[in-house]
Amino acid sequence: MFDFDDLERALEAKVPAAGYAQDDCSSRGKTEKARAKHVDHTKVVRIWAISDLHTDDHHNKEWIEEMNTESTADDVIIVAGDISHKWEIITETLTFFKERYARVFYCPGNHELWGNAQEDSMHRLHQLLQLCNKLGVETAPTEVSVGDRCVLIVPILSWHHPQWDVEPEISGWHGLLPVDQMLSDYLLTHWPQGTSIKDGSAALAVDKVNDQLADWDHLLTRRRDFREVLSFSHFLPRVENNPEKRYLTHPNLVFGHTHFGYDLEVDGVRYVQAPLSMSSERHSRGTTVALGDFPDGLPFSHPFMVWHSRTGWAPKSQGAWSAYVERYGRRPDVTWLIPSYVADGLEPAPSAGITPKVGWLPGRMPVWLFGPKSQRIQEAAAESRKISERLAKEAAGTYRRNKNHAPGTEEPLPIEASEVGILLCKGNIAVIDVREGECFSRPANCIELPHPSKTNHFAALPDDELLDLGERIMAGEGPRILVGDPDAPASCRHAALLLAALLRLWPRDVRPLRGGFKAWQAQGLPVTKVAREPIDVW
C-alpha cells in the first residue's frame, strides 16, 4: 500500500535512534537546487511498485522472471512485502530485483515474519534488515533525485493492530470464526515474552524498529522541502483503504495485505496498491486483483509504474474496489447484507431488527464488474463454464450440492405471476426479459437481456453501458424476476443460474416467472409493444 503526498498523516514524531547503516535523507544536507546542478537532466528514471509477490508460488516466480527489465537499469522498484516466509526465496527475489534495478526499496510483510517457536518474529525482522543491508536493498527513508525533481521515499515498518478496526462487526449470520482462529499470523508468528498480536503490543514493537532507521523529527522537518513524497508499508494505513467487512471472504480479516488493486484518494492523499497476489487469485478473481494493466499487461509483465522523472506521478488507474468506492462511497453500518461468496458457508441468523440478506445495496453494480474489461470478460466466461458444467452433471446424474452452500440456496426459486403483481405495486424489483429471438411485446419497464446467447456477454460492454445495465438490474430490494419463453423453461433456469453467479447472488434470489411471458400476459401485467425489427444493443 502506497501513501502519497502527506507523510504527516501516517507518522507521529519519533525519537532519534542509531540503527542500520543506510543512505538515508536524515544525513544529507544538500538542497534540491544544489543537487540538481550535478545531475544529468537527460536521464529518465521510473519508480515501480509491487506487493504481495508470494514467489513461493511457482507461477508467481515465473511471472517475476518473465518481467520486462530490458530498460530498468536506472529505475527504482518498491517491494511492499509478502515475498515469502522462506529465507532462500526472500534472498533470491531481492537479489533478482537488485541485479535489474538501480535501487530497490523494501519493507517486510506478515509472511516474512512467520517462523518456528525457536525463532521469534522480532528476531526475524532484524535478520531481514541485516540481509537487506548486505544486499544493498534500502529500508530507510531517503530520496530519489533526477534533474530538478526529487522524491522523498519513506518505507514504514508495520504490523496489524486490533485498534485499527473501528467498524462494526457482521450481524445476522452464524459461522464466522474469530480472527485468531482463521488468520495464519496468529499461529505462525512467535513473539518475545510480553509481546502479542492480540493486544497490539506486537504492532508497537515493530513500529519501534522504525526509530532505528531514521531521525523522524528531522525527517518530518525536511518533508516540507519536497513537493513529491511517497511512503509505503505492507499494511493498510487507514481503514478507508479496505472494503467493508461484509464484502471480505473472511469478514474478520480486516487488516492489510488485502490483495486488491486500489487507486483511491482520501483527504487529499492518493493510495495505491498493486498486488501480484497468489496465482489462484489472479485466475479466480482477477478483476479485483488488477490495477489498470497490472499484473497482466501485454506483451510483457511488469510492476505498476508509480512515478516518471519527466511526467511525475502516474495517471490514475482503474481498480475495481477503488472505482466502486468512488461511485458509491462506503457504508460500514450495513452489516447484515453480504454477497454470495461471503454467505457460502454461513447460516442466516435473524434477530430483532435484523433480517440477513444476500446481495448488494439497491442500485449498486457488483464490484467485480468495475474491474478492467479484459479481466471481467475472462471472469464471466469462467462463471459461464461452471454453470454449463453443472448442467451437464445434472443431466448425467452426477451433480452434488456444494457443502458450503446453505440448503435451498443453490436452485432458482420460481415465482407466480400473481406474486409478481404484488411486488410490482411495491416497486422494489427488477424484471429481466431473457427470451431469445424476435419479440414484439415485452413486460413494461423490463431489462432486455436475451439468453443464453447474450447473457454471459454483458461483461464485455463498454464501461458506461455496463454501469447503466448493472445498476438497472440491481435496482430495488426485491428479487430479480426473469421472464422467459414458456416453451423453454430450462433456458430460463440456465439464465437464472448464470445471472446469479455473475451478480454474486444466491440462485434462489433470481426467480424465473412460472409460465414465462404467457403467464405475465394472462395476469394482466403491463406490457409494452416493441418495433417489428428490434435494435440489437449488443
Side-chain angles (χ1 to χ4, degrees), residues 5 8 30 50 57 105 127 179 203 206 248 312 331 355 417 420 432 438:
D5 191 51
E8 291 97 324
K30 295 181 180 180
I50 189 170
D57 177 334
F105 287 84
Q127 283 188 309
V179 65
V206 171
L248 301 175
R331 288 287 308 277
T355 303
V420 172
I432 305 168
E438 194 173 41

Side-chain angles (χ1 to χ4, degrees), residues 134-301:
K134 178 181 178 181
L135 296 176
V137 172
E138 301 179 65
T139 58
T142 186
E143 54 199 65
V144 171
S145 302
V146 187
D148 58 356
R149 304 192 75 124
C150 186
V151 181
L152 176 61
I153 297 183
V154 185
I156 303 176
L157 299 174
S158 57
W159 193 259
H160 42 71
H161 193 299
Q163 292 181 1
W164 187 87
D165 176 17
V166 296
E167 297 185 339
E169 301 294 335
I170 297 295
S171 60
W173 295 89
H174 279 322
L176 290 170
L177 293 174
V179 65
D180 59 349
Q181 293 183 24
M182 50 73 60
L183 180 59
S184 297
D185 292 348
Y186 284 82
L187 301 174
L188 298 177
T189 58
H190 305 274
W191 302 90
Q193 186 174 4
T195 305
S196 171
I197 298 179
K198 295 182 179 181
D199 63 6
S201 56
L204 296 177
V206 171
D207 181 57
K208 286 183 180 179
V209 180
N210 286 307
D211 298 338
Q212 302 175 29
L213 298 174
D215 179 340
W216 293 92
D217 286 332
H218 183 68
L219 178 66
L220 287 169
T221 299
R222 289 210 60 218
R223 180 260 178 271
R224 295 173 177 83
D225 297 333
F226 295 87
R227 290 180 300 167
E228 297 175 305
V229 177
L230 189 161
S231 66
F232 73 96
S233 65
H234 182 66
F235 293 94
L236 298 179
R238 54 190 300 166
V239 71
E240 293 92 339
N241 301 139
N242 208 34
E244 298 98 303
K245 296 176 190 178
R246 66 180 181 276
Y247 295 135
L248 301 175
T249 304
H250 299 293
N252 282 335
L253 182 56
V254 298
F255 301 107
H257 52 87
T258 62
H259 293 199
F260 294 137
Y262 230 80
D263 193 339
L264 182 70
E265 184 173 312
V266 182
D267 292 341
V269 180
R270 183 182 176 189
Y271 297 89
V272 174
Q273 183 169 234
L276 181 58
S277 306
M278 302 301 292
S279 59
S280 58
E281 292 176 299
R282 296 198 303 277
H283 177 74
S284 63
R285 59 170 189 88
T287 49
T288 53
V289 169
L291 182 63
D293 65 352
F294 173 87
D296 291 326
L298 298 174
F300 300 104
S301 58

Side-chain angles (χ1 to χ4, degrees), residues 88-122:
E88 63 274 17
I89 294 179
I90 297 171
T91 303
E92 180 182 340
T93 302
L94 291 175
T95 300
F96 175 91
F97 286 122
K98 189 62 183 171
E99 291 173 348
R100 290 162 176 80
Y101 292 82
R103 299 173 72 177
V104 179
F105 287 84
Y106 167 70
C107 68
N110 54 304
H111 279 241
E112 282 86 339
L113 299 194
W114 288 3
N116 56 47
Q118 287 71 45
E119 181 184 37
D120 74 58
S121 296
M122 290 303 299

Side-chain angles (χ1 to χ4, degrees), residues 5-28:
D5 191 51
D6 193 357
L7 180 60
E8 291 97 324
R9 180 176 299 282
L11 306 174
E12 298 177 354
K14 302 286 184 177
V15 178
Y20 301 92
Q22 295 278 347
D23 184 21
D24 68 282
C25 65
S26 62
S27 64
R28 298 184 181 187

Side-chain angles (χ1 to χ4, degrees), residues 271-425:
Y271 297 89
V272 174
Q273 183 169 234
L276 181 58
S277 306
M278 302 301 292
S279 59
S280 58
E281 292 176 299
R282 296 198 303 277
H283 177 74
S284 63
R285 59 170 189 88
T287 49
T288 53
V289 169
L291 182 63
D293 65 352
F294 173 87
D296 291 326
L298 298 174
F300 300 104
S301 58
H302 55 78
F304 181 79
M305 191 180 74
V306 178
W307 183 85
H308 193 290
S309 59
R310 290 183 178 173
T311 57
W313 300 119
K316 183 175 176 57
S317 292
Q318 183 177 6
W321 272 115
S322 47
Y324 183 86
V325 170
E326 286 177 334
R327 177 75 177 179
Y328 303 124
R330 297 178 82 256
R331 288 287 308 277
D333 57 300
V334 178
T335 60
W336 41 265
L337 180 66
I338 59 180
S340 60
Y341 62 84
V342 178
D344 292 342
L346 303 180
E347 295 183 7
S351 60
I354 298 176
T355 303
K357 291 185 178 181
V358 169
W360 307 78
L361 286 169
R364 293 191 176 196
M365 182 171 72
V367 64
W368 76 275
L369 291 171
F370 283 91
K373 185 176 180 179
S374 60
Q375 292 288 343
R376 66 184 188 238
I377 290 173
Q378 293 178 28
E379 202 159 327
E383 295 296 340
S384 182
R385 286 194 298 271
K386 291 178 185 177
I387 299 304
S388 296
E389 290 170 2
R390 170 179 173 171
L391 296 175
K393 289 180 180 179
E394 288 179 348
T398 59
Y399 179 72
R400 297 292 181 268
R401 189 180 71 83
N402 190 321
K403 294 180 180 180
N404 289 328
H405 296 169
T409 63
E410 279 195 295
E411 183 61 29
L413 184 63
I415 189 171
E416 302 293 339
S418 57
E419 187 178 352
V420 172
I422 296 172
L423 292 174
L424 282 174
C425 292

